Amino acid sequence: MMKIIPVIVFFALAASLPAAPTAPEPHGAYTGDGTVRLSWYSPPLRNPERIRYFRIYRSESAENRGTRIAELPVSLSRKQSYSDRLPEKHRVFYSLTAVNADGQESERSLPFAAALLPDLGIRDGERVSLNPDLATGKMYPVAGETVEFSATIRNRGAVTSRPCRLEIRFENGTEPATVRLPALKPGASHTVSWNYRPECRGEYHMDLSIDPDRINDDFNWSDNRLKIKCGAVERDVHFIWYGDVTKLPFANYGQCLPHSVDEWHRRGGRALSGVGATGDKLDRLYADRTRSAAYDGICIDEIYRWEKAAQNVAAFLPAYRKTFPDRMVAVWTIGEETAPQIAELVKNGTVSLLMFEVYVKPGEKIDPILRTIGHARAAGIADRILIGLVTHKDWNNWVGPEEQAASVIAQMRLIREKAPEIPGFAFWSDDAQPGVAEAVDAECYRLFVQPENKEK
C-alpha cells in the first residue's frame, strides 16, 4: 500500500529593500585662495529617499572614486557645501555620494575636476550675435569697409595666468593679428579688440587662439580656440523686426524696448525706438525718445497715405533731421502707396527707410507686393524701402508653422528676384509660431550675404 507523506512547503517572502538614493549633482567654484568650494542641493524637506549623509571623495583620475575625505550630515539649508585646499600643480577629481538611513550608498556623481592652474578661455558660439563674449561695430559691413571686433577673455582657473597673446587668423591669407593679454587673476577678464576689412560679399571666418605659444599650463585647452563666422554685403542691408528678436542670429535692426539697446549694439545691430504718429507735441516726443537709452533712431508706427498723421509727421521731420543728422528715421506706412509728402522725404534723405505694410498671408495672391514695387519705382524710392512681411502667429490663414514659413520665404525670394534694389525686409512680428521667425531670419542671411553659388 502506498503511503502518502504530507510535505509542508515554506515560501520565504523576501521583503523588498528600498532602493539606494540618487547621486547628488555637485558644482565647483574656485575661491581664489587655492581652494575649491563644492556645493550641491540638500534633499527636499520631506526627504523621500531618507538621505542622512553625503560623502565626498577625491581621486587623481576621473575613473576612480578615490579616497573619502569627508562625510557631512544633511542640513536644513537648501544648499550644502564643502571646501578643500588643492594640491599645488596637481589635478584632482571630486565626486559625491548620498547615504540613506539604511546605510545604502548611491552611485557616485559625475566627477568635478580641479587644479591650481589658470584656465583662460572664451565662451562657445560662432556668431557674434549669439556669443556674449564677442562684439562688433557692424554686423554686416560693406565689402571693403573696415569693422572693429572685440572679444572678452576670462580666467576661470584657480591661479593667476601669465601674460600671453591672442592670435586672430583670417581665411583670406591676411597676416594674422596679435593682441597682448595681461596676467589675469582668477575670475578676472580682459577685453581686446582688432579690425578687419572683408574684400568681397559673402561669409568669412576668423580663428581665435588664446595663448597659442602655450606660455601657461592651462587647465582646459578646449575653450582656448574659437572660429567666428561673419558676413559682408555689397551695400547696407536692413532686416528690421517689430519686437525683441535678439535671439535670432541674423537680425540687425530691432524696434525694441530700452533694455535691449545694449544687446543690439554689442552684436553690431541698430536699436530703434517705436513711436506713434498721432498726438500732440510729436516733435518733443521723438527727440526725447531718440536721446533716451542711446537709441540709433526712431521707428514711426504708423501712417496712411491720406491720413492727417502723415501730413503732421511730414511737417516736422525735416527739423528733427537737422537736430539728429546721424540718427535713423524709419516709417511704417499702411498699403501699397504712401503720401506724396513722405515719398519726397525719402528721396531727400529725411526718412531713411519706408516700410510698406502689405502683409500677404499664406495662400493669398502676391499682387500687392508687385504693385508696391511698381509704385516705389515710379516714386524713385525703391532702393530706400522695405516691404513688410507678416510672421505673426495670428495672421497665418490657419496653416501650420512650416507652411507659414514657406509662404514668407517665397515672398522674400520673389522680392529679391523682382526688385534687387530693395535693401532688406521688414517683419511683423516676433510673436510667431515655433520655428517661423528662425526660418525667415536664416533666409535673410542666405539671400543677401552668401555668395551666389551658395544660394541654390
Side-chain angles (χ1 to χ4, degrees):
M1 182 176 177
M2 190 172 168
K3 292 185 177 180
I4 300 175
I5 302 175
V7 177
I8 301 175
V9 180
F10 294 93
F11 294 91
L13 300 176
S16 59
L17 296 176
T22 306
E25 297 181 11
H27 303 277
Y30 297 108
T31 62
D33 59 354
T35 63
V36 63
R37 181 184 178 89
L38 300 172
S39 61
W40 62 95
Y41 285 106
S42 302
L45 189 61
R46 290 178 55 250
N47 197 1
E49 296 186 293
R50 302 183 302 137
I51 296 173
R52 294 293 181 266
Y53 297 96
F54 292 105
R55 290 173 179 168
I56 303 169
Y57 295 87
R58 187 175 65 197
S59 174
E60 295 184 7
S61 70
E63 293 76 22
N64 299 322
R65 185 165 67 176
T67 304
R68 188 171 80 191
I69 60 174
E71 182 175 272
L72 303 178
V74 169
S75 71
L76 295 178
S77 61
R78 188 69 187 94
K79 267 190 173 184
Q80 294 190 231
S81 62
Y82 177 81
S83 296
D84 187 44
R85 192 159 189 83
L86 293 168
E88 188 171 356
K89 294 290 182 183
H90 192 61
R91 193 183 303 260
V92 294
F93 298 85
Y94 294 93
S95 58
L96 272 71
T97 63
V99 182
N100 65 16
D102 298 312
Q104 293 178 299
E105 187 171 9
S106 71
E107 296 291 329
R108 71 187 186 108
S109 66
L110 291 175
F112 172 78
L116 281 180
L117 297 172
D119 185 13
L120 298 176
I122 186 170
R123 277 183 276 199
D124 195 25
E126 63 183 12
R127 298 282 177 188
V128 174
S129 53
L130 300 181
N131 189 332
D133 280 351
L134 300 174
T136 183
K138 191 174 184 181
M139 181 179 286
Y140 301 118
V142 176
E145 181 181 12
T146 299
V147 63
E148 183 180 62
F149 290 86
S150 65
T152 299
I153 312 303
R154 307 175 189 278
N155 181 7
R156 302 184 183 91
V159 297
T160 301
S161 66
R162 298 172 63 186
C164 57
R165 67 188 180 98
L166 170 71
E167 183 181 74
I168 306 103
R169 290 186 173 272
F170 311 104
E171 64 178 358
N172 63 358
T174 305
E175 187 71 18
T178 295
V179 185
R180 300 302 302 175
L181 292 174
L184 294 179
K185 294 181 179 180
S189 64
H190 181 72
T191 300
V192 298
S193 61
W194 67 94
N195 293 329
Y196 182 66
R197 187 178 71 179
E199 297 299 330
C200 59
R201 168 199 173 193
E203 185 171 87
Y204 58 96
H205 301 165
M206 290 181 281
D207 289 302
L208 276 57
S209 179
I210 303 169
D211 194 9
D213 308 309
R214 301 284 177 124
I215 300 297
N216 291 279
D217 183 11
D218 202 275
F219 178 70
N220 175 22
W221 288 103
S222 65
D223 59 357
N224 286 51
R225 296 182 65 90
L226 179 67
K227 173 173 281 191
I228 306 175
K229 294 182 178 180
C230 308
V233 292
E234 293 174 344
R235 61 192 181 96
D236 284 328
V237 297
H238 313 276
F239 309 138
I240 296 183
W241 288 79
Y242 178 93
D244 191 356
V245 292
T246 51
K247 292 183 179 180
L248 297 181
F250 305 115
N252 67 334
Y253 280 84
Q255 182 178 331
C256 63
L257 297 175
H259 72 269
S260 299
V261 171
D262 289 344
E263 173 58 20
W264 281 106
H265 291 165
R266 183 199 63 78
R267 64 193 280 152
R270 299 293 177 263
L272 304 178
S273 174
V275 293
T278 59
D280 298 328
K281 301 180 180 178
L282 287 180
D283 52 346
R284 180 182 297 178
L285 169 65
Y286 290 8
D288 290 345
R289 285 292 187 88
T290 302
R291 293 188 181 100
S292 69
Y295 278 112
D296 299 287
I298 56 174
C299 196
I300 301 173
D301 187 10
E302 58 203 342
I303 64 172
Y304 185 67
R305 182 180 182 188
W306 305 116
E307 222 174 33
K308 186 178 179 181
Q311 302 171 28
N312 292 340
V313 168
F316 68 77
L317 274 182
Y320 172 90
R321 173 58 73 197
K322 289 182 180 179
T323 305
F324 302 100
D326 59 339
R327 300 301 174 93
M328 182 176 181
V329 178
V331 180
W332 290 98
T333 182
I334 300 173
E336 303 164 13
E337 296 183 73
T338 191
Q341 304 98 314
I342 298 296
E344 186 59 35
L345 294 181
V346 176
K347 290 176 70 174
N348 66 30
T350 301
V351 172
S352 313
L353 279 174
L354 187 61
M355 302 173 290
F356 288 85
E357 299 182 61
V358 293
Y359 306 141
V360 175
K361 301 176 185 177
E364 295 180 343
K365 293 183 178 181
I366 48 82
D367 295 359
I369 292 177
L370 298 177
R371 288 195 295 266
T372 301
I373 293 172
H375 293 317
R377 282 177 173 162
I381 59 173
D383 61 340
R384 280 162 284 183
I385 74 155
L386 303 178
I387 294 180
L389 306 176
V390 60
T391 53
H392 197 282
K393 63 184 179 183
D394 295 334
W395 282 56
N396 59 10
N397 261 4
W398 306 102
V399 302
E402 291 185 5
E403 190 173 345
Q404 185 181 15
S407 173
V408 178
I409 289 173
Q411 295 172 45
M412 296 166 66
R413 293 175 180 175
L414 175 74
I415 294 168
R416 193 77 178 112
E417 176 188 353
K418 299 295 184 181
E421 69 270 35
I422 294 180
F425 305 103
F427 299 104
W428 179 68
S429 74
D430 60 329
D431 192 11
Q433 297 187 85
V436 172
E438 292 78 5
V440 169
D441 178 57
E443 186 68 12
C444 289
Y445 188 81
R446 195 186 71 82
L447 288 175
F448 278 88
V449 176
Q450 291 183 321
E452 281 75 5
N453 64 348
K454 295 182 181 180
E455 289 186 5
K456 305 302 180 184

